[in-house]
Structures are given as structure tokens and as C-alpha cells.
Amino acid sequence: MKPIYFPEPFRIKSVEPIKILSAKEREQKIKAASYNVFNLASRDVYIDLLTDSGTGAMSSAQWSGVMLGDESYAGADCYYKVQEAATRIFGMPHIQLVHQGRAAEKVLLPILLEGKKYAISNMHFDTTRAHVELAGARAIDCVVKEALDTTSYYDFKGNMDLVRLEKYIKDLGAENVGVIIMTITNNSAGGQPVSVENVRAARDIAHKHGITFMIDAARYAENSFFVKQREKEFKSSSITDIVKDTFEGADCFTMSAKKDAIVNMGGLIGCRDKALFEKIKQRTISFEGFTTYGGMSGRDIEALARGLDEGIDENYLRYRIGQMQYLADRLSDGGIPFQTPVGGHAVFVDAKKLLPHIPYYEFPAQALSIELYREAGIRACDIGSFMLGNDPDTGKQLEAEFEFTRLAIPRRVYTQSHLDVIADALINIKERAKKIKGYKIVEEPPILRHFTAKLAPL
């Protein structure tokens, strides 16, 4: 039976022209970018799948809100609108604005990790790992073993491995663990969802050992949609109720609002403890600006207040996840390996399986990203050993659990025809996969190298 895809619950009101360069021009551009897709100019990209963060299309309601943005330095009206929406949705009494997710991590994680050695997560994403290391601690990943088999189906591949979590705490010493982080959805594992049951169990383990339990809430709405579809307890629940159950009992959260709140800029920190909130506010003033604007313009705050509710609309989420499923089905039909089942914000192509002749230290996921640009002007992103970087203690290249080329789909931006172009490009690449070579790094910074490193083909 042919699967049912859900059409866009909106109509297009404004369009932005894009163009595709010739193959010769694309080859020149990627070489000039030192084979790092972050160095490409957006005007030279046809379909941009680098990230879903801040790249979504805002609604007419959000754009109308931009004109109402209160640009007062302190106590702007839009600040109170975000406070109302965020406390209502997440159920946390204290909410702090920041300009994006990594700013939230920069403010919060050093507080939680002061005097501590470790942070444990189902999987840390790149900026989270970086801020753990910048705080002088080490990031430990603890995803369930089912996530490691990209070909098999499992409802909640993003889950924390609870047995290993208990063992890590015992072996490392609870007094040395500053925070347990639940990332929803689990980006590094392929945008995979986490069950509410698993969130509750990890929270209870954290609290049993006196450890702070934090949620990385970047894609909490997409996670909630998967919960409704797959977790029996929540089949009849609203997305709003699932969000509340997910966050119940969590001590704090960070959020890049550039994902599920569908804005171009913005972030949040939430917490329950008033003393912790006072520390958060002081660090926000130092790094972001006064507490009621948190590094954001009033117009962006107004759009965020509206986007928080738009992002949890069930009709929108059904369409959003449907887009991922359509692309995944096209790739499956074409024999392209990817993390199964498809995640909420992206399709994670398994470059290790597609390019098995390229070892991890020659970066197969990065090689596939470059080949996608060569083939069709598509910009994707390495989520593999190139992104993971070097061991902070030894300086040696780390081997990632996965070698994914992430096709992150911006929200409300691309049509089904664009998805067909993506699928066709990968199918064409598959035909010449054995001829594709790896890459070496010729210049790199010590942290978050994948943003600015320079590479050369082998």
C-alpha cells in the first residue's frame, strides 16, 4: 500500500529566487572553499541542507509580529509574551532569553559543571560537547545500542542507555558528574526520538544520585509528535500535554529556538530553582545583554513568542515529519542507506555504508557532502568523525559512532520537487561511489573545527 504523505498546511505567499551553477562552476567554488561546505557562499548553493537551525520560513503572523517588536532595552512588552508562552508550554517558572542554543549552553553549563569532571548525555551535539570541554569537563555519550544499527527499526533510537548510565555514574562517581543531559530529538544519532518513559527513568536516576537533569530541547516538538505516534501511553494525548509530561521533573533546559519555534534567531533557558536562575541572569547580563532582551532584538522576540505555539501545531508537525518520510522512501527505493527509521528534522545518510572504502580518518561523511555539492549544488553536513574532532587529552583523531551525511530540511521552505532533486542526486552518486576519495585536514582550530577547517582531497 502506498504511504500517505500529508500536504503543506499553508500556502506560499512570497518566493525567493535560487539558481544552480554549472558543474564546472561548482567544482571551482568547492575548491575555493577549501572543501569545507561552511565556506561556500549561500548564493552558490541550490538546495541548502546544511542545517535546519534558523533557516525556516516564518509565517505571516510572525512577520506581522516583527512590526510590533518592542525595542526597549528593559522590560519590553514582547519579553512578557515569550515568558507567558514558554512557562505555559514547558511548565517551568523561570525563563531566560538568549540569542541561540549555544549561548544557552555558554551561560548554563559552566554553572552546572563548576568543580565537576563529567557530563553524560544520550548524545551531545557539537556545541554542547564544546561547551562541556570549555568548562573543563568531559562529555560522555550513552545512547542505546539499537541506534548503532542504522538498518534496523526501533521506535526510540534516541533513548538513553539506562544500564550504562547507572554504570557510568558508579564508575565515575556521582560527585564528579555535573549534569545528565537528555537531547530531544537525539540529533547525533540521526534525529531519533526519545520516549517519555526513558526521559522519566533517566531523570529518576539523576535525582537518585543528586545530579542535575537537563533537557536539550532544540527539537522538543518533533520529539513529541513521534511520542504520540509510537508510545502507547500518549496515543490520545495532545502535543501540548506530551510536552508537559516530557519536561515534568526536569531541573532545567536549554533550547535553540531556531528549530522548533521556527525563527531565524533566538534561544531559551528554563529552570525551576530560583537560586540557579539568579546565576543564569547574571551570566546572561555579562554575555548576552540585559535579562529582558538576552541578546535579541524586540522584533525577533515577538516572532519567537508566536513561533512557540506554531511549532507545536499538530497539523504542521504531521506535514513536517511527512516530508522526511517522503525523502526517506525515495532514498530507500534507490538503495541509499540511512538511519532507519527516519528522524524528525533530517535524513541521515549512512556514508560509512555508502563509501565503505573510505576510513573514518579520511572522513567519508564529509566526502559525501562534497560530492552532493558537485552533483547538484546541494549543501549537506558531516555528522561524523570530521565533526567529532580530536581527543581533547591526546590530540588524536576520534572515531565517531556514526559517519552520517545529514540532509537537514529547513521548515516550510522546500517543496516535494526539491526533495526529488535530492534523492536523484544521491542515486546518481551511488553509481560512482567506488571512485570517490577521502580528504585530509590541512588547517584546523582546536575546538569546533568543522566550521572553519580547511581540507584537501586525497
Side-chain angles (χ1 to χ4, degrees), residues 58 61-63 65-66 78-79 81-83 85-86 88-90 95-100 220 255-269 293-294 296-311:
M58 292 204 301
Q62 288 175 296
W63 279 112
V66 165
C78 47
Y79 162 78
K81 294 178 183 178
V82 167
Q83 290 286 305
R88 168 171 46 83
I89 291 169
F90 300 109
I95 301 293
Q96 177 59 60
L97 281 164
V98 289
H99 82 274
Q100 61 178 335
Y220 76 99
M255 178 183 174
S256 169
K258 296 164 66 177
K259 284 83 169 176
D260 276 353
I262 328 177
V263 289
N264 305 126
M265 190 58 65
L268 297 173
I269 304 170
Y293 78 89
M296 296 178 65
S297 65
R299 52 188 175 270
D300 285 330
I301 299 171
E302 185 74 37
L304 170 54
R306 298 173 185 224
L308 283 167
D309 281 311
E310 290 186 16

Side-chain angles (χ1 to χ4, degrees), residues 7-54:
E8 292 83 352
F10 55 83
R11 57 188 178 189
I12 297 169
K13 200 169 189 176
S14 180
V15 295
E16 177 184 358
I18 53 175
K19 65 177 182 178
I20 185 167
L21 303 180
S22 69
K24 182 179 180 180
E25 289 172 319
R26 295 196 299 273
E27 187 63 46
Q28 293 170 343
K29 297 296 183 182
I30 194 64
K31 183 178 180 181
S34 298
Y35 300 97
N36 187 333
V37 292
F38 283 93
N39 291 334
L40 289 168
S42 65
R43 63 179 175 271
D44 297 327
V45 175
Y46 177 54
I47 300 175
D48 202 342
L49 311 180
L50 186 66
T51 181
D52 63 314
S53 180

